[in-house]
Amino acid sequence: MASTVKAIVSRPVPLFVAATVLRAAMLVYGLWQDAHSPLKYTDIDYLVFTDAARFAFSSSPSPSSTAAAATATALASPYTRETYRYTPLLAWLLYPTTWQPGSTFWFSSGKALFAAADLLAGYLIIQVLRGPRVRMLSVERACRYASIWLLNPMVAAISTRGSSEGLLGVLVVALTWAVLQKRVALAGVLLGLGVHFKIYPFIYAPAIVWWMDADQMVRRTQARTPRKGKETPTPEPPPTGLVDTVVAFATPDRITFTIVSLATFLGLNLVMYARYGMPFVTHTFLHHVTRIDHRHNFSPYNILLYLNSANPTPGSLKVESVAFVPQLLLSTVLIPLVGAKRDLPTTMLAQTFAFVTFNKVCTSQYFLWYMVLLPLYLPNSSLLRHPRLGLSALALWVATQGLWLQQAYYLEFLGQSTFFPGLWAASLAFFLVNCWILGIFVEDLDRR
C-alpha cells in the first residue's frame, strides 16, 4: 500500500490522474448531495457567481429609444446581483454556466474550471520547485511536495463546491515562477491581473521589488565566465548618499516591474469602469474596506463585527476601518524587509499567512491563499526537520478550527447562542495558533 502511494505521488502522470479523479468524484458527489440533501454541497458564492454571469450577459428586447437603450445596457451588469463583490472578469469566465438554463452540465462547468485551476497551480508548483534558483528538487521530490496541494481534500472540496480561489492560486504561483525566472514584464502583468482579480496579491509587490536587487537580477550573460582576453568588470562601489541610494535602488528591472504591473491594473480597471461605472469601483474595491461580514468568520473580530452590524453607530471610529493597520504593517512592511532577499517563496507564504490571520474576515476559502505556497516552503522547513513540531502545528491548526466549527454548528443549525464565550474563545484560540505558526515561518526566514 505504501509503495503504491509513493509511486502515485512521485511521478507526474499518476499524480495528476489521481488529482483529477479526486475532483471528478467530488463534483459527482456534489451533484448527488445537492439533489438529495437539505444541506447543499454547492457554495452559496457559486450561486452568486453564476447569477452575476447571467446578469452580465442578459439579453433585453430591442429598445425603441435612447433612454431605453441606456437602461438595457445598465441592466446587463454582474452587479445587478446583490452581494457580487468581484471583478466582472469572474462573471465573464463563467459565461458557459448561462447556456441552456436548467442544464446541470453547463451549470457545473464553472466548478470544473475552478478544479482545473487547482491542477494548473499544482503543475506550476512543480516548475518552481524544480527551478535552479529556488529548491532544485528532482521531479520525484517536487511531485511529492506538490501532492500536498493536488491531493489535499480540503483544496479539492473548496474548488468543487464552487469557490474561485483556485484561479488566484494559479496567478500567485505563476507570479512566483515568473519572478524567480526573471521574466520581469510577465511578472508585472500577473501581479496587475492578480490585484485586479482580488485585492490581496498587492502585498507581494514590496517583497518582489525588495528582492529585485542588482545581485538577484544579474543577467546570465554577465554571470558567465568572461571570454579570453576580456577583463572581469569591476563591481560598482556601494552608494553613500541618499540620492545615490535612491538611484541605485531604482534599477531598470524594478522600474519595469512597477510600470507594467500598474499599467495592467489601471488598464483593466479603466476598461471595467468604462463598462460598468461606479458600481464596479464600489463593489470590487471600496466594499472591502468597510465590510462587516460576521458569518463563517474565524477572525477574533467576528463578535465585534456582529455587534456593529446589529447596532451601527454613525460617525464613530469603526474597527472594520482600522483593522487593516496591524495586518498591512506585518504583511507589506516587516515580513518583506526581514525575508524577501533570503527566500522569496517563504516570504510570500509568511506574508499571506499574516494577511489572512489578521484579516477582519477569515473564511475557509482564504486558507487556500497560503496553502498553495506551502509546498514551496516545506522542503527546507523546521516543520519537516522536526516532525514533532510539524505534527503539533498541524494538529493544533485542525483542532482549533474544528472547535470553532463546532460552536458555529450549534449557533447556525441548532439555534443556540454560542457567541460568548464559545465562539469568541474558539476564534481566539485559532488566532493564537496561527500566530505561533507564523512565528515558525519567520524564524525559518531568519535562519536562511
Side-chain angles (χ1 to χ4, degrees), residues 409-438:
Y409 172 79
Y410 289 152
L411 174 67
E412 295 194 15
F413 288 89
L414 303 183
Q416 299 178 15
S417 179
T418 59
F419 286 110
F420 186 85
L423 198 64
W424 178 78
S427 296
L428 193 58
F430 186 61
F431 173 76
L432 292 175
V433 166
N434 279 302
C435 288
W436 173 59
I437 295 173
L438 177 61

Side-chain angles (χ1 to χ4, degrees), residues 185-266:
L186 176 60
V189 170
L190 289 169
L191 180 63
L193 176 59
V195 178
H196 170 81
F197 207 92
K198 189 161 280 189
I199 303 171
Y200 88 89
F202 83 91
I203 65 174
Y204 303 131
I208 293 171
V209 170
W210 186 237
W211 179 86
M212 282 182 171
D213 58 20
D215 292 335
Q216 293 285 2
M217 301 305 293
V218 169
R219 301 301 178 186
R220 291 181 183 179
T221 53
Q222 295 175 336
R224 292 172 182 165
T225 305
R227 291 181 182 176
K228 222 174 194 186
K230 294 205 173 183
E231 296 181 359
T232 305
T234 306
E236 296 183 4
T240 53
L242 177 61
V243 175
D244 290 341
T245 302
V246 172
V247 171
F249 182 83
T251 61
D253 289 311
R254 282 171 168 155
I255 294 171
T256 300
F257 176 76
T258 303
I259 291 175
V260 172
S261 58
L262 282 174
T264 303
F265 176 70
L266 294 175

